[in-house]
Amino acid sequence: MNTSNIPVLIIGAGPTGLMAAAQLERFGISYRIIEKRKGTTKFSKALGVQARTMEIYEQMGLVEKAIAQGTPAKKLQIMVKGQYVQTMPLSEAGAGFTAFPYLFILEQSRNEELLLDYIEAKGGRVEFQTEMTSFEVKGNQTRVGIQHADGSLETIQADWVIAADGGRSPVRKALNIPFKGDTYKNIFYVVDTDVAWSKDHHSLHINLADNNFTAFFPIIDKKGTRYRLVGILPEHYSEKKDIEFDDIKNEIKRVQNLDLELGDANWFSIYKVHHRCIDRFKEGAVFFAGDSAHVHSPAGGQGMNTGLQDAYNLVWKLALVVQGKAKESLLDSYHTERWVIANQLVNTTDRVFSNVVRKGRLINWFRLNIVPFLISRLMGVKKIQQRAFKMVSQTGIRYSNSPIAVSATYLSKKAPHPGDRLPYVKVFDSTTGELKNLYHLLGEQGFHAVFWWRNNDKTEIQDAAVIETYLKENYTTVVQTHNLYDQTENSSAFQKLDLKNSTLYLVRPDNYIGYIGKVDDLDALKAYLELIFI
Ligand SMILES: Cc1cc2nc3c(=O)[nH]c(=O)nc-3n(C[C@H](O)[C@H](O)[C@H](O)COP(=O)(O)OP(=O)(O)OC[C@H]3O[C@@H](n4cnc5c(N)ncnc54)[C@H](O)[C@@H]3O)c2cc1C
């Protein structure tokens, strides 16, 4: 049997594994990725691509391809028994927070293809029809047995393993790691079908009915009639085997009191929803990412996006460690940062979802009569609208508890703090003379030291020059420097960031703020860099 030694092995090529591989390609790290399926998924599965994922796609140069294949959902329309009671504009709530103020609809199958194309264009390869058959950890060594499509066996010894092997994760099972949580009693159906009705195809529609609901997500197609429907399977079908869409079609119309015609099923499936999370995202040299680490209800369209962002958060850290530039302790921040997010997500979706599916006359009355009214009142308040957008779009995710989020200066409540995503601001680009999204100005990779200049204090400028020289001499391959001045074109950025004094941001490769300090405080900056780099 063949034995190979490699730095990184990814197990599973769903969206999470593919994102991990794509990021490793970006950072030029050698790896292998194995997947037991023949290719990417043929099913639409996850549909909602959140704004934060679009920002990542943009950084990877993929966003235009994504936009060409999908459609933004700009409104959420709520119906009660077929009658509209509330319309929520998604784009207004997100305006100013991101370049993508909407929920983007693009099937999981297309997201997977997008990432696979990226990997292949960079010269990488996914080893399809290759299954992990055994997994053991001995001391510092991880030995993974795999079987190729032709039946041949191989053992891979990997320094690091990314377990992106889905909700049933064989790696998690091999390591005996509990997947704590529960399974909801209800059975759900999901179907992709044509809907003949008079409603707008660029909106999400949710219809609330007696002890049930149907969500309609638009899917892009030539006729503009295709939707993904999700709802609760009528109870009397729960024991029935081999249910088909035709069995429940009329029932959906009747229970939901909807005036529509449903076409044939392009994809139909029934499933139970789980809400579970592991306690540790890192176990020695093994990282869990995506559904192998957390599963929850598809309500809110968070699952695929969270997996993509797990991989995105992990890989820049892993790349620096594999390249021998960063300390191994940097990798612990993957668990600290992502576990909190996943755990919160599992709990929040559980609370919302339990109330949506709970049975009973009182709760049913409350859902149909009070909830739409409450949503309407709450969403009328701009601040609440914005908060909801930030939460659902994942642009509001903060890593405040991270060991690599450090502040060395006073920051107002309004100002962003270390551990926050770098806010979406436009700044003056002196090379083109135009206003530019700061993310674009920072460019593709690495850390960025951004000096925000509030005044022309000569001593500060001299001391900052010492910092620039220090960075050039010691961190030239990992930190780039940028200077931004308080001129008219930048006034809205300075206001948004509440910059009262000249300030230095150290922005991480994932566009999160790692450090904020004074522009002339070399000691504090040194201490921060020594926390991360060798
Ligand atoms: C009906 C439905 C609707 C959804 N809607 C949304 C939505 O709108 N938005 C959203 O964000 N999420 C949604 N989700 C959730 C989303 O599909 C998952 O969160 C996402 O697929 C997780 O990706 P993953 O890569 O972590 O895991 P998976 O997609 O499960 O990938 C794991 C991969 O590992 C492979 N694998 C497993 N064992 C082995 C082995 N031994 N050897 C080799 N390979 C192996 C599997 O074949 C699989 O390809 C939805 C899910 C469903 C079912």
Side-chain angles (χ1 to χ4, degrees), residues 293 339 344 400 434 442 449:
W339 179 81
Q344 262 170 13
S400 324
E434 286 172 3
L442 298 190

Side-chain angles (χ1 to χ4, degrees), residues 12 15-16 35-37 46-48 108 132 164 291 301-305:
T16 307
E35 166 57 55
K36 66 181 181 184
R37 290 180 314 193
L47 274 187
Q108 181 168 327
M132 179 200 100
D291 277 18
Q302 303 287 303
M304 176 179 75
N305 290 277

Side-chain angles (χ1 to χ4, degrees), residues 375-393:
I375 292 178
S376 149
R377 289 302 289 264
L378 290 174
M379 288 303 153
V381 182
K382 199 159 185 206
K383 274 206 164 156
I384 297 182
Q385 231 183 57
Q386 291 174 335
R387 203 180 263 195
F389 177 84
K390 282 203 229 173
M391 191 173 88
V392 175
S393 68

Side-chain angles (χ1 to χ4, degrees), residues 362-517:
L362 192 62
I363 182 108
N364 187 43
W365 179 85
F366 187 78
R367 256 193 316 254
L368 297 184
N369 297 286
I370 305 295
V371 170
F373 171 75
L374 270 182
I375 292 178
S376 149
R377 289 302 289 264
L378 290 174
M379 288 303 153
V381 182
K382 199 159 185 206
K383 274 206 164 156
I384 297 182
Q385 231 183 57
Q386 291 174 335
R387 203 180 263 195
F389 177 84
K390 282 203 229 173
M391 191 173 88
V392 175
S393 68
Q394 306 192 341
T395 53
I397 286 177
R398 297 181 137 164
Y399 303 135
S400 324
N401 64 335
S402 171
I404 53 163
V406 173
S407 171
T409 187
Y410 166 78
L411 294 168
S412 72
K413 249 187 157 180
K414 194 183 150 205
H417 285 60
D420 289 358
R421 158 184 160 274
L422 181 67
Y424 167 63
V425 289
K426 292 204 169 156
V427 290
F428 183 69
D429 177 6
S430 53
T431 51
T432 60
E434 286 172 3
L435 276 182
K436 206 171 188 177
N437 179 344
L438 179 56
Y439 291 173
H440 298 178
L441 194 77
L442 298 190
E444 248 265 297
Q445 274 185 29
F447 274 77
H448 298 273
V450 184
F451 290 85
W452 298 93
W453 290 105
R454 188 73 220 203
N455 50 41
N456 287 326
D457 180 326
K458 274 202 178 134
T459 337
E460 251 183 9
I461 292 172
Q462 276 165 9
D463 289 344
V466 175
I467 292 190
E468 277 204 44
T469 311
Y470 172 79
L471 288 173
K472 268 200 193 109
E473 284 173 356
N474 298 282
Y475 295 98
T476 190
T477 58
V478 280
V479 184
Q480 289 173 45
T481 302
H482 311 263
N483 287 290
L484 293 165
Y485 301 93
D486 185 12
Q487 59 201 82
T488 320
E489 294 90 338
N490 287 340
S491 60
S492 101
F494 272 73
Q495 255 177 35
K496 200 165 175 180
L497 305 181
D498 204 26
L499 290 161
K500 300 256 168 26
N501 302 302
S502 297
T503 304
L504 170 62
Y505 280 15
L506 199 64
V507 180
R508 316 182 332 179
D510 56 357
N511 281 338
Y512 267 74
I513 304 170
Y515 163 91
I516 302 183

